[in-house]
Amino acid sequence: MAKLANPAAPADAIPAVDPRLLVREQGLSGYLSEFGRKMKSGDLGSLPVVIGLIVIWGIFQGLNSNFLSPENLTNIAITMVATGMMAVGIIFVLLLGEIDLSVGSVSGVSGALFAVLAVTNGVNEWVAILVAVAGGALIGAIHGFFFAKIGAPAFAVTLSGLLFWSGAMLQILGSNGTINIDADGVVGQLTTYYFADVAAAYGLAAIATAVYFVGAYSDNRRRQAAGVPSRPTSEILLRTGLLAVFTFGPAAVFNQYKGLPLAVVLFVLVLVGTDFLLRRTTFGRNVFALGGSVEASRRAGINVTGIRIAVFAISGTFAAVGGLFWASKIAAANQSAGAGDLLMNVIAAAVIGGTSLFGGRGRTWNALLGVMVITSIQYGLALEGIATPIQYMITGAVLLATVVIDSVTRKTQKSAGRA
């Protein structure tokens, strides 16, 4: 018997296409309409952070002409790396809608572990670094186990970890309390080494720009061959030009001081790698899915327990890496490591950069934007001789404003049917 055609579907029916996919083909007008749609729905993205950073730099430059000097900007770039590394790990946790309060103490205990092994016991520095970073990963995995497998709240688990690992750090350092590290060693040079040749900074900027263009152009060709919406070539050229400005600009600034800092290179590599992990791999998609809905993720066959443990292990790993950068910055491991406002700054950097506290929204590049805001405020206030208590108050106010914006944005998106 001949198969009857579906009477409800016309013969010349055209498959429905998400209008947002057509934005790329519409060029500038499409992006303007998309921008308006996002503004109405409360999807502000990184725009408030970028505007805020411009305002902050403008204010401090007006107060002190040395703020935007090559030396001060280079110092800001190097100082923000330690906090930024830790913020990258926190972002993974925040994407699940959870929190890790132990990153400060984990960074301290990792720095102490490295110093005791490399300085006190004469262990090879590379081995000591691997042990310290692996220790951070193990600590994070332990926290993740209690949260994911036992069912204890992440807040309570990591708060306990904050206290426990702070005590462990004091125990490792011993009665002396401070262990100076070799300034010329591997860790010592993390924040003191510069690629003095001007070709290094400009070369890296050129490579980054070229890689982006080749990747975007190749992706466009594949989309065109598959018959799906693609960006106009003019847009790719425009994006490449903007990227060139944001890469060659800092390169020129660094070359006016001492050259390209090693710390900045490592931080950028981490951002690129973790962004690829989150956006281009199954693991990353599972993290976002889990942050959106635990039950839906479980029904979709995602290993919820494994993802949660892995995410906390990643947080511990980057906390350890950040601890090594802090040890490099002060050329020592001491009892104050991981204390003070470090935890607040790490969380603030992630949230201010655009990562939602409610889970499911954020990118590791948010760590860069957020930590730039935090460190710029700190350096600007320090140049003006503002007391530390006032710095804390201002940073706290900025964090509160960011959380309020995040909450309002989430409510707006719900009313617009996008959350």
Side-chain angles (χ1 to χ4, degrees):
M1 181 181 293
K3 186 176 181 179
L4 297 176
N6 183 2
D12 58 346
I14 300 175
V17 178
D18 188 339
R20 289 174 294 181
L21 294 178
L22 301 177
V23 170
R24 293 179 174 179
E25 291 187 334
Q26 295 171 359
L28 180 60
S29 61
Y31 278 99
L32 288 176
S33 61
E34 175 71 0
F35 178 78
R37 184 189 65 79
K38 287 184 176 182
M39 292 298 101
K40 291 180 181 179
S41 65
D43 187 3
L44 303 178
S46 299
L47 182 62
V49 189
V50 174
I51 294 176
L53 187 61
I54 293 173
V55 171
I56 290 169
W57 282 11
I59 292 175
F60 285 128
Q61 178 65 15
L63 295 174
N64 192 317
S65 59
N66 291 323
F67 181 80
L68 293 181
S69 66
E71 179 180 358
N72 193 59
L73 289 177
T74 300
N75 289 334
I76 289 175
I78 294 173
T79 301
M80 73 182 191
V81 171
T83 304
M85 288 287 191
M86 299 169 67
V88 169
I90 276 286
I91 286 173
F92 278 81
V93 178
L94 291 178
L95 287 174
L96 296 183
E98 302 296 340
I99 193 66
D100 186 351
L101 301 177
S102 68
V103 291
S105 58
V106 173
S107 71
V109 78
S110 298
L113 186 59
F114 164 80
V116 167
L117 290 174
V119 179
T120 306
N121 296 302
V123 175
N124 178 273
E125 275 203 68
W126 286 107
V127 175
I129 290 173
L130 289 175
V131 172
V133 174
L138 177 60
I139 290 172
I142 292 173
H143 295 163
F145 173 81
F146 281 105
F147 164 59
K149 197 71 174 177
I150 305 301
F155 178 90
V157 171
T158 56
L159 179 60
S160 301
L162 184 155
L163 298 173
F164 183 90
W165 301 114
S166 293
M169 178 189 68
L170 299 179
Q171 186 68 28
I172 292 172
L173 290 174
S175 58
N176 186 30
T178 300
I179 300 176
N180 295 322
I181 66 174
D182 182 10
D184 296 323
V186 178
V187 171
Q189 294 191 56
L190 285 176
T191 56
T192 60
Y193 185 83
Y194 298 82
F195 298 97
D197 192 333
V198 295
Y202 289 131
L204 182 61
I207 291 173
T209 305
V211 168
Y212 172 80
F213 174 77
V214 172
Y217 185 76
S218 301
D219 181 64
N220 227 38
R221 293 292 298 272
R222 288 193 298 269
R223 286 179 172 275
Q224 291 173 352
V228 297
S230 59
R231 293 189 176 100
T233 304
S234 58
E235 183 193 337
I236 295 177
L237 293 174
L238 176 61
R239 287 172 173 262
T240 304
L242 291 174
L243 178 62
V245 171
F246 287 110
T247 53
F248 281 92
V253 171
F254 292 142
N255 281 335
Q256 292 180 53
Y257 184 50
K258 293 182 178 180
L260 179 64
L262 172 62
V264 173
V265 175
L266 295 176
F267 188 34
V268 171
L269 290 176
V270 164
L271 290 175
V272 171
T274 52
D275 183 68
F276 180 86
L277 176 65
L278 279 176
R279 298 176 62 214
R280 303 289 184 179
T281 67
T282 301
F283 174 80
R285 290 190 287 271
N286 288 344
V287 171
F288 279 107
L290 194 54
S293 173
V294 175
E295 185 57 33
S297 298
R298 184 178 286 109
R299 293 187 178 187
I302 295 175
N303 184 352
V304 174
T305 300
I307 295 294
R308 283 174 164 175
I309 293 176
V311 163
F312 275 89
I314 290 172
S315 179
T317 299
F318 282 107
V321 172
L324 295 177
F325 274 90
W326 275 120
S328 174
K329 183 67 177 176
I330 64 176
N334 58 35
Q335 295 178 344
S336 64
D341 62 343
L342 179 58
L343 174 61
M344 181 194 73
N345 287 340
V346 171
I347 297 175
V351 177
I352 289 173
T355 303
S356 175
L357 284 168
F358 302 98
R361 192 183 79 235
R363 294 180 59 181
T364 52
W365 286 99
N366 296 149
L368 174 61
L369 290 173
V371 77
M372 285 177 68
V373 170
I374 294 292
T375 312
S376 296
I377 291 175
Q378 292 174 338
Y379 267 72
L381 295 176
L383 284 176
E384 294 304 304
I386 305 298
T388 300
I390 304 300
Q391 295 184 31
Y392 284 0
M393 293 167 65
I394 293 176
T395 305
V398 172
L399 176 59
L400 176 61
T402 307
V403 173
V404 170
I405 291 174
D406 183 35
S407 300
V408 173
T409 298
R410 184 177 175 84
K411 290 181 180 179
T412 305
Q413 289 178 337
K414 281 186 176 180
S415 63
R418 298 192 65 232

